[in-house]
Amino acid sequence: MESYRPVSLRDSSKVTLAGAAQVVVGTSAPIREVERALGWLAAAEVNLLLQGEPGSGKRVLAEAIHLQSPRGSGQFYAVSLANRTDSQIEGELFAAPGEGLLGDARGATLYLEEVGCLPMRLQRRFVRLLRADPSRRNVRIIASSTSELEEAVRLGRFLPELYAHLGLIRLTLPPLRERREDIVALTEYFVRRYCERAGNGAIRVSRSALAELTTYAWPGNARELQQTLEAALALTRTGELTGERIRTVLGRRPRRHVAPDVFPLRTLERDYIATVLTRCNWNQSLAARRLGIGRNTLMRKIKSFKLEKSEAA
């Protein structure tokens, strides 16, 4: 069984604060509301329910709330309830010694990801424990869900008593497509963080790249935006991130709707191999090891992609 691990934010406060900034980057009305609420949510010391689509920043916001709360010097316990068996969940939340997480997390914050996946039998047990002696446990619970728990209550899939315990304060994080004006600010933030971590010089985001980014639907929200930018930046060998590079990562066709000469995945492979070769100073043996392929395979790909040292430099 995969066991939970406490996360001590005292040793990673810089990372967590940087992540917390991700939640409040932007100027849209919804994100301004989140920014204004952050302080009092941290101080409230009551259970909290965060709702929103995958990648909308629920975990990041939960960490930020913990860090700014009176419990911020303690531990942040996080456990995902999705794709877990009943016995795994029961073992983590309720099992002795220490009565599982509900006992071990005294004085800390317990983050329950996808709380709607909690089986009904364990929902009832959870309610009994919360009713028994909540003050003795002294655990602040921040729960999250990608589905509407109120609807689950109506359909009889989630106990109204547990919903009342967890959802004393409810906050819904908006999807990125509903705050498109924040995409540019988030892009600048993610690009700057990437360059700082990679030790690279500044990379400029072209107008064509911004056009691609601001017209995409982002079903994976801010997380997908971050991952897309990091993949595109890893393949960028100049000081500018272009719209073509964004299209390559997203697998989108050019705006003129003419099929590209090369299938996007092949383009992605070609550019990645060229990047690795450059970083290895065209030492093909070293590049092959880093790519996880044989040297002969790499040589065939170099020939197939018509790569030249001057091009990849």
Side-chain angles (χ1 to χ4, degrees), residues 9-275:
L9 299 184
R10 286 174 293 184
D11 299 328
S12 58
S13 58
K14 290 183 180 179
V15 175
T16 304
L17 283 171
Q22 174 187 334
V23 178
V24 294
V25 168
T27 58
S28 66
I31 216 64
R32 292 299 96 189
E33 288 184 17
V34 172
E35 183 180 31
R36 287 192 294 268
L38 187 57
W40 68 262
L41 286 173
E45 279 290 280
V46 295
N47 294 338
L48 172 65
L49 175 62
L50 303 177
Q51 296 188 125
E53 295 180 1
S56 57
K58 299 182 294 296
R59 164 74 183 255
V60 173
L61 180 58
E63 290 186 0
I65 290 170
H66 166 79
L67 192 66
Q68 295 189 29
S69 76
R71 302 169 186 265
S73 60
Q75 289 182 321
F76 178 91
Y77 290 81
V79 59
S80 174
L81 304 180
N83 302 316
R84 310 293 295 279
T85 65
D86 290 15
S87 60
Q88 286 177 325
I89 296 173
E90 187 170 24
E92 291 198 5
L93 292 182
F94 307 107
E99 302 171 278
L101 269 177
L102 289 174
D104 294 343
R106 289 188 181 96
T109 300
L110 173 59
Y111 176 65
L112 298 178
E113 186 176 55
E114 291 298 346
V115 71
C117 295
L118 192 64
M120 184 61 70
R121 176 178 65 86
L122 298 183
Q123 289 183 38
R124 295 191 183 97
R125 185 171 178 182
F126 205 164
V127 169
R128 288 196 298 271
L129 281 173
L130 291 172
R131 283 176 172 172
D133 191 357
S135 61
R136 178 175 64 86
R137 299 189 181 281
N138 187 24
V139 178
R140 184 184 191 183
I141 299 172
I142 301 179
S144 74
S145 176
T146 55
S147 60
E148 289 288 342
L149 286 189
E150 193 169 354
E151 177 69 7
V153 170
R154 189 183 69 80
L155 295 173
R157 297 172 182 168
F158 201 82
L159 287 178
E161 299 90 343
L162 184 55
Y163 181 68
H165 273 290
L166 299 179
L168 184 61
I169 297 178
R170 296 186 293 275
L171 179 66
T172 299
L173 295 179
L176 192 54
R177 64 182 175 276
E178 292 182 5
R179 53 184 187 100
R180 288 188 179 276
E181 59 267 47
D182 294 336
I183 292 175
V184 173
L186 279 166
T187 297
E188 293 173 349
Y189 170 74
F190 288 136
V191 170
R192 184 172 64 253
R193 283 192 64 196
Y194 176 88
C195 292
E196 289 172 354
R197 290 198 309 268
N200 298 336
I203 295 178
R204 190 177 76 86
V205 181
S206 69
R207 289 185 179 181
S208 63
L210 287 176
E212 294 294 336
L213 294 168
T214 54
T215 56
Y216 183 66
W218 299 114
N221 294 293
R223 182 192 300 146
E224 185 185 8
L225 173 62
Q226 179 181 6
Q227 292 170 344
T228 297
L229 287 168
E230 289 180 351
L233 290 165
L235 297 172
T236 297
R237 301 190 299 279
T238 66
E240 182 177 73
L241 179 60
T242 65
E244 181 181 3
R245 185 68 67 211
I246 297 297
R247 285 196 301 272
T248 297
V249 174
L250 291 176
R252 300 175 78 186
R253 293 187 175 188
R255 290 179 174 276
R256 62 182 183 276
H257 301 297
V258 176
D261 294 334
V262 183
F263 187 70
L265 286 177
R266 180 174 169 83
T267 303
L268 185 62
E269 182 184 19
R270 178 188 187 279
D271 289 351
Y272 184 63
I273 289 174
T275 299

